Amino acid sequence: MVSNLAHRPHFEGFDNCILSKLKEAVPNLHIEKWDVGFREILSASSIFVCDHYSTTFLEAFCLNHPTIVFWNSEHYLLNDSAKPYYDMLIDAKILFYNPEVVAKSLVSAYQDVEVWWNKPLIQQAVKTFCNQFAKTFQNAVKIWDNELAHILEA
């Protein structure tokens, strides 16, 4: 599995210290560049691991791409109304706060990604989460057009 790892650093500048440490720990680590779009990179991956709170894990969820999310819970405070949705991700073993636990879960999921990702508990958690925080619509432009027109009329 280690030979298949790739890392895509944040676009606002590569922290050479962190990249050096990563390359030292994983000599064959492929460092992704920003000349290839996220969806293209995602489609070439079997599991996307997101280590920070960002829209990338929402995009992966919306595309129903196997995804594991982990971050330090002390760095990202959740609104009380959002907490139950994140708890669902924790219960489904998609969201983690401990790097050792996420590593073990990743190794386990990697054995058969499709079986793992298509478990009903995981699929329901992702669907519910997306319905609350990352809705997608075929007619999104029309919905936005109607909403903006309604605001302008007020």
Side-chain angles (χ1 to χ4, degrees), residues 13-30:
F14 301 156
D15 185 333
N16 289 326
C17 180
I18 291 173
L19 290 179
S20 296
K21 287 182 181 193
L22 280 171
K23 290 293 273 183
E24 185 178 311
V26 186
N28 294 331
L29 181 66
H30 174 71

Side-chain angles (χ1 to χ4, degrees), residues 78-93:
L78 297 176
N79 177 310
D80 286 343
S81 65
K83 192 166 178 355
Y85 297 96
Y86 285 86
D87 287 344
M88 279 193 317
L89 299 180
I90 292 168
D91 292 343
K93 297 191 179 5

Side-chain angles (χ1 to χ4, degrees), residues 1-2 4 21 27 33 38 41 44-45 67 71 76 80 85-86 94 103 110 127-128 130 133:
M1 183 173 91
V2 172
N4 293 328
K21 287 182 181 193
K33 302 216 181 333
F38 177 68
I41 289 173
S45 72
T67 301
W71 58 67
Y76 304 102
D80 286 343
Y85 297 96
Y86 285 86
I94 301 171
Y110 193 75
K127 181 179 178 181
T128 302
C130 285
F133 299 109

Side-chain angles (χ1 to χ4, degrees), residues 47-126:
I47 300 177
F48 169 59
V49 179
C50 185
D51 67 351
H52 60 283
Y53 190 84
S54 71
T55 57
T56 52
F57 82 89
L58 297 174
E59 290 177 63
F61 279 1
C62 287
L63 294 169
N64 200 26
H65 188 83
T67 301
I68 290 178
V69 183
F70 79 99
W71 58 67
N72 184 331
S73 61
E74 294 176 13
H75 292 175
Y76 304 102
L77 300 177
L78 297 176
N79 177 310
D80 286 343
S81 65
K83 192 166 178 355
Y85 297 96
Y86 285 86
D87 287 344
M88 279 193 317
L89 299 180
I90 292 168
D91 292 343
K93 297 191 179 5
I94 301 171
L95 171 61
F96 300 88
Y97 298 133
N98 180 300
E100 288 81 17
V101 175
V102 75
K104 288 177 185 174
S105 293
L106 177 58
V107 168
S108 176
Y110 193 75
Q111 302 303 311
D112 194 334
V113 176
E114 292 304 314
V115 168
W116 165 75
W117 185 250
N118 287 302
K119 288 180 180 174
L121 180 65
I122 289 175
Q123 286 297 300
Q124 186 59 48
V126 169

